[in-house]
Amino acid sequence: MENKLIDEARQGDALVVTGTQKPGSRKMYIESYGCAMNFSDSEIVASVLTDKGFVTTSDYKEADLILINTCAIRDNAEQKVRNRLKEYNIEKRKKPSLMIGVMGCMAERLKEKFLEEEKIVDIVVGPDSYRSLPSLIETVEGGQKAVNVLLSRDETYADINPVRLGGNGISAFISITRGCDNMCSFCVVPFTRGRERSRDPESIVSEARLLFDQGYREVTLLGQNVDSYQWTGGGLKKDNPSPDVLAQATTFAQLLEKVALVNPLLRIRFSTSHPKDMNDEVLYTMARYENICDYIHLPVQSGNTRLLEMMNRGYTREWYMERINAIRRIIPHCGISTDIITGFCSETDEEHKDTISLMEWAQYDFSYMFAYSERPKTLAERKYKDDVPEETKKQRLYEVVALQQKLSGARTKLGLGKVHRVLVEGISKKSDEMLSGRNSQNTVVVFPKGEFKKGDYVNVLAERCTVATLIGSVV
Ligand code: 5AD
Ligand code: SF4
């Protein structure tokens, strides 16, 4: 799932919120793994269950209901979930009334098999079925196991106001599309999250407005492929709507503009862009609005055209390079990050070198890098042999990680001696005397706290840096 400003960085974090705990109300504990979309979905689930009288807890040992929102993108993501379920099981032995539910992509992938394989699970619920959680819980209370993994063509949870979990009160996610129609051959997401559908722009804008009124100063618009966002009035992007419905049609660039207009003090980010669909209209919109951040996550996956074709990515190396050139031309100081897979089926050393040379050429600020992990049911699993030895995949992964470390250091250094507009997110992890935030390009900037507070915008002159952080003082 290409959907992850925070993906790996937050993987394994528990979503924690300390709500008002009315005596007698039941407690839910929600833990999320994987991409930003999962974190965002957990907030929808929290909202559905808050309406049913549950309150959140940050300690699973005191919960009546444990929900784990899972990722299926690579095998190791699934292993983490299995280990966590074992820990919950110890609690369940002490407290048999404890309900344990598995949500998200792994639930969708394994369906009923989950109940058989992992005996401790009571509820299995897929990404499009969260509205049914209250009735699934009732089924479990009646002594049965409960499963709902129906995928939908139109569910967008547009009317649900998410309960914000574990955030900093400044930045929030807003889902704008669900599902994915791209069918990259390595990817399980089209099978676990279903067909792509876009959410009503008005509901997106009102969510952004509400967040702003509550003190939030940054929203990240989320979708597997934000560039294919298309509202045609009815929701389904490939419908054939009537002329008046067409009049309300909204593209991603238009949606960006609508959200940017909510307030100039609200920063807009988005993820994930797809190289085959990212058009200049989006770039020009970004350039026009100062509050749309100069940062694009543009996953390349491989720098070799033969591999890209096998991956079913819909672009060549040259096409991708042209898109990067367009970004640099239209938004000269744009931060750019990417996703890379090493050791995809039949990748040769030479082809791997094409990925290395592309990274050097693109000068990425940041990359998420993975060794290929074959996933059941995907096109690649059915069509190609997973024939690159694990050792080689790892070796190539180390190589790209080391290169990215070098590139990130160089990119961060470019920020030295410049003044950065920073949105303050909170106290720095390293020192209580320092505040931390990010500049438009998504680089972390740290500075002495003075009288400033979360949610302020400050101008910081960068004086020193580490590989990924600029350090300076307010000017
Ligand atoms: N193996 C390794 N990495 C994968 N990704 C998706 N599927 C796989 C897989 N089977 C990566 C891609 C995608 C990111 C979210 O995860 O790089 O962009
Ligand atoms: Fe992203 Fe491709 Fe997977 Fe869709 S199929 S989520 S575009 S990697």
Side-chain angles (χ1 to χ4, degrees):
M1 175 187 344
E2 286 187 3
N3 189 353
K4 47 210 269 328
L5 287 178
I6 55 157
D7 185 304
E8 297 292 301
R10 281 180 66 172
Q11 233 180 40
D13 285 3
L15 283 177
V16 173
V17 73
T18 34
T20 34
Q21 311 218 339
K22 293 181 221 122
S25 37
R26 290 182 299 170
K27 292 181 183 154
M28 59 176 161
Y29 172 85
I30 309 179
E31 189 164 297
S32 298
Y33 290 84
C35 65
M37 188 67 89
N38 260 9
F39 284 74
S40 168
D41 281 0
S42 292
E43 300 185 330
I44 287 165
V45 167
S47 172
V48 169
L49 293 179
T50 303
D51 287 349
K52 291 289 159 198
F54 277 89
V55 294
T56 45
T57 171
S58 55
D59 179 6
Y60 77 85
K61 295 192 175 165
E62 61 167 43
D64 302 291
L65 168 67
I66 296 178
L67 291 171
I68 182 162
N69 201 350
T70 61
C71 173
I73 203 136
R74 285 169 292 275
D75 187 56
N76 56 10
E78 294 203 353
Q79 290 318 324
K80 271 189 213 159
V81 168
R82 293 209 152 89
N83 289 337
R84 208 58 188 135
L85 284 171
K86 283 187 196 132
E87 288 172 46
Y88 300 155
N89 191 20
I90 298 172
E91 242 9 73
K92 176 133 176 144
R93 270 188 245 132
K94 290 188 224 155
K95 184 161 104 184
S97 67
L98 171 64
M99 292 178 276
I100 299 176
V102 178
M103 330 190 278
C105 289
M106 202 177 161
E108 191 65 48
R109 189 176 86 69
L110 292 166
K111 304 190 168 59
E112 290 81 1
K113 266 210 276 178
F114 226 114
L115 297 178
E116 296 150 25
E117 278 178 26
E118 318 284 330
K119 298 255 182 296
I120 51 158
V121 172
D122 302 296
I123 300 170
V124 178
V125 58
D128 286 344
S129 304
Y130 296 144
R131 285 181 204 269
S132 72
L133 264 166
S135 73
L136 296 175
I137 290 169
E138 274 175 33
T139 307
V140 173
E141 285 168 334
Q144 286 170 292
K145 305 271 179 188
V147 182
N148 188 353
V149 287
L150 280 179
L151 287 174
S152 157
R153 293 205 60 159
D154 51 18
E155 178 63 274
T156 58
Y157 300 113
D159 57 314
I160 294 184
N161 186 17
V163 168
R164 303 293 163 183
L165 297 170
N168 55 10
I170 299 299
S171 317
F173 296 121
I174 303 182
S175 300
I176 63 163
T177 67
R178 297 184 70 82
C180 186
D181 284 352
N182 285 322
M183 287 291 182
C184 298
S185 65
F186 51 79
C187 187
V188 76
V189 168
F191 304 95
T192 60
R193 286 188 165 269
R195 298 302 300 272
E196 181 184 291
R197 65 222 94 123
S198 296
R199 176 177 168 190
D200 178 351
E202 287 317 312
S203 76
I204 296 168
V205 171
S206 359
E207 193 172 328
R209 209 174 278 132
L210 182 70
L211 284 163
F212 185 82
D213 292 343
Q214 291 170 341
Y216 285 83
R217 290 294 175 266
E218 181 175 270
V219 294
T220 302
L221 308 180
L222 293 180
Q224 253 58 57
N225 171 356
V226 290
D227 300 293
S228 65
Y229 176 88
Q230 177 89 62
W231 175 255
T232 56
L236 287 177
K237 69 164 196 167
K238 281 158 197 149
D239 270 0
N240 187 14
S242 66
D244 18 314
V245 165
L246 264 184
Q248 319 160 20
T250 307
T251 63
F252 179 58
Q254 290 163 334
L255 177 73
L256 264 182
E257 179 158 45
K258 282 179 199 267
V259 183
L261 288 169
V262 164
N263 195 299
L265 289 178
L266 182 69
R267 270 188 173 179
I268 325 296
R269 297 185 186 274
F270 53 87
S271 186
T272 296
S273 304
H274 197 302
K276 80 178 162 59
D277 297 319
M278 188 203 65
N279 57 39
D280 290 357
E281 199 195 338
V282 168
L283 300 177
Y284 284 119
T285 308
M286 291 172 72
R288 249 193 339 268
Y289 289 91
E290 216 209 297
N291 57 332
I292 305 179
C293 290
D294 293 345
Y295 175 73
I296 297 188
H297 182 60
L298 196 68
V300 67
Q301 315 297 1
S302 164
N304 176 272
T305 296
R306 186 185 76 89
L307 267 283
L308 287 171
E309 196 169 311
M310 283 176 70
M311 289 175 168
N312 203 22
R313 289 289 289 175
Y315 54 86
T316 59
R317 175 185 172 98
E318 289 68 33
W319 171 278
Y320 184 90
M321 290 169 81
E322 192 283 321
R323 291 292 74 208
I324 296 277
N325 281 335
I327 298 173
R328 302 259 185 245
R329 187 173 70 240
I330 300 168
I331 315 165
H333 299 292
C334 198
I336 305 179
S337 61
T338 200
D339 288 349
I340 285 165
I341 297 179
T342 61
F344 185 64
C345 312
S346 79
E347 184 189 64
T348 65
D349 275 334
E350 282 307 304
E351 288 164 336
H352 164 67
K353 287 202 184 102
D354 286 341
T355 299
I356 297 276
S357 69
L358 185 74
M359 288 174 76
E360 275 166 346
W361 177 85
Q363 294 282 306
Y364 292 115
D365 294 78
F366 192 82
S367 297
Y368 296 92
M369 297 153 283
F370 317 99
Y372 174 58
S373 162
E374 186 179 77
R375 307 311 290 136
K377 273 172 72 175
T378 55
L379 282 176
E381 189 239 7
R382 287 181 278 144
K383 257 172 86 176
Y384 307 124
K385 246 173 102 184
D386 179 15
D387 55 1
V388 176
E390 283 310 306
E391 265 308 286
T392 311
K393 288 181 188 172
K394 289 270 151 63
Q395 178 54 39
R396 291 177 187 168
L397 181 61
Y398 292 143
E399 233 175 282
V400 295
V401 168
L403 172 57
Q404 185 54 53
Q405 183 82 352
K406 203 177 90 191
L407 297 179
S408 294
R411 294 290 296 174
T412 309
K413 255 196 200 136
L414 286 182
L416 287 178
K418 299 195 176 115
V419 174
H420 302 261
R421 186 164 156 84
V422 175
L423 170 61
V424 182
E425 289 171 18
I427 302 286
S428 145
K429 274 188 241 146
K430 296 245 169 82
S431 158
D432 286 352
E433 294 309 305
M434 309 282 275
L435 288 175
S436 163
R438 276 173 298 150
N439 65 9
S440 178
Q441 291 76 10
N442 213 32
T443 306
V444 174
V445 182
V446 170
F447 56 93
K449 81 176 165 204
E451 297 300 305
F452 301 104
K453 56 179 191 323
K454 250 180 18 174
D456 287 347
Y457 284 97
V458 291
N459 290 324
V460 178
L461 171 67
E463 292 149 346
R464 294 181 289 129
C465 69
T466 65
V467 170
T469 307
L470 290 165
I471 305 154
S473 46
V474 177
V475 290

